[in-house]
Amino acid sequence: MKYRLTGQPDGEVVVLSAGLGGGAGFWAPQVPTLETQFRVLHYDHRGTGANRAALPEGYSIGHMADDVLEILDDAECPTAHILGHALGGLVGLELARRAPARVGRLVLVNAWAQADRHTARCFDVRLGVLASQGTGAYVAAQPLFLHSAAYASAHHEKILAEIEHGTATFQGEDTLRKRIGALHAFDVMTDLPSIRHPTLVAAAKDDLLVPYTASEALAAGLPNATLWLTDHGAHACTVENPAPFNAVMMNFFSATPNGFQPLALPP
């Protein structure tokens, strides 16, 4: 697995785990802030970007967690914090469940313990578009699920560039279906009480893809979690409205044990 490390050579490690797209570039709005204090580990999920490869049958979130452990071993990182978005948040939960000593703190953005019916319906629609209209239509529809209408309108040229890039680097239908199958099958609800890591659960109330109530349920089930909600930003709230999230994220990662206090920021 290819990866790279940036930021402070002697800092604590923060692993960036992206969502369904799999690319580490998703976290570009957070990287400069993180690099001021931490050693940042960037990687593309297996099957995507720099780590394109065929995925096995029965591919699971467990396989994705194994990839992170392999990377941490190769980088000689005994422990790391995990910053995960949606599917990447599930990877963080799986790591905390199966290798708790390797995980410091968790920041889970628009994630869930159990896939919501609405989220499953959205993925069914997206796969239907892919099957009936092809890659171009699938990628063109993606911003509808990621961004708010106001952001997409105000950043029209940026969205067009993202669609062009996404079409050129599309992970492939087989890979996409296996990755969606993995997130559908993931269910950690009954194991949440045993995941005792300090956790920041962040969500946007206007997320079209994942109801923020899924984050509320996730935070309620984790014994050492803090919930932070923002009114605006949609599924890609870390991209649309990074400043308040970055402040809360850094406050959380930098806090002394049991010393985190959510910042009083506007939503």
Side-chain angles (χ1 to χ4, degrees):
M1 288 283 289
K2 296 179 181 178
Y3 65 92
R4 63 191 180 93
L5 287 158
T6 64
Q8 304 302 314
D10 297 324
E12 295 178 337
V13 175
V14 176
V15 175
L16 308 180
S17 191
L20 183 62
F26 174 82
W27 296 108
Q30 284 66 56
V31 168
T33 301
L34 286 166
E35 286 178 337
T36 64
Q37 191 169 329
F38 297 100
R39 195 177 186 204
V40 183
L41 195 156
H42 314 242
Y43 81 104
D44 298 333
H45 288 202
R46 188 179 297 275
T48 75
N51 288 312
R52 287 190 70 116
L55 302 180
E57 295 300 322
Y59 190 66
S60 69
I61 301 298
H63 287 103
M64 300 181 203
D66 286 341
D67 285 338
V68 176
L69 291 174
E70 176 187 318
I71 290 170
L72 291 176
D73 287 344
D74 187 76
E76 299 181 344
C77 298
T79 62
H81 305 307
I82 308 296
L83 174 57
H85 176 257
L87 182 150
L90 311 190
V91 176
L93 286 166
E94 181 67 10
L95 284 165
R97 178 168 67 167
R98 70 163 54 188
R102 304 298 300 273
V103 177
R105 299 183 182 214
L106 295 167
V107 175
L108 311 175
V109 183
N110 291 329
W112 59 88
Q114 181 183 64
D116 184 88
R117 293 175 298 178
H118 171 76
T119 303
R121 184 163 54 246
C122 287
F123 281 122
D124 286 345
V125 169
R126 294 170 74 180
L127 288 174
V129 170
L130 178 62
S132 63
Q133 300 181 54
T135 299
Y138 172 87
V139 177
Q142 186 163 287
L144 302 177
F145 296 95
L146 289 179
H147 296 298
S148 66
Y151 178 90
S153 176
H155 298 83
H156 179 67
E157 296 302 323
K158 183 175 186 292
I159 296 297
L160 290 180
E162 288 179 358
I163 291 172
E164 182 178 359
H165 175 75
T167 303
T169 60
F170 182 62
Q171 58 193 258
E173 183 172 350
D174 183 69
T175 293
L176 179 68
R177 289 186 177 277
K178 286 176 178 175
R179 284 168 59 75
I180 291 177
L183 65 84
H184 278 324
F186 183 77
D187 186 346
V188 74
M189 188 66 76
T190 59
D191 291 334
L192 291 181
S194 67
I195 300 175
R196 307 192 64 83
H197 301 73
T199 304
L200 175 65
V201 178
K205 289 186 176 181
D206 63 347
D207 185 347
L208 175 65
L209 182 60
V210 182
Y212 73 90
T213 50
S215 290
E216 289 182 325
L218 176 57
L222 291 166
N224 197 13
T226 298
L227 177 67
W228 180 76
L229 297 176
T230 179
D231 288 339
H232 306 292
H235 192 60
C237 59
T238 56
V239 174
E240 285 200 19
N241 193 24
F245 171 78
N246 289 356
V248 172
M249 172 191 71
M250 291 297 286
N251 184 33
F252 175 75
F253 276 143
S254 304
T256 57
N258 302 315
F260 171 65
Q261 295 295 326
L263 297 178
L265 294 171

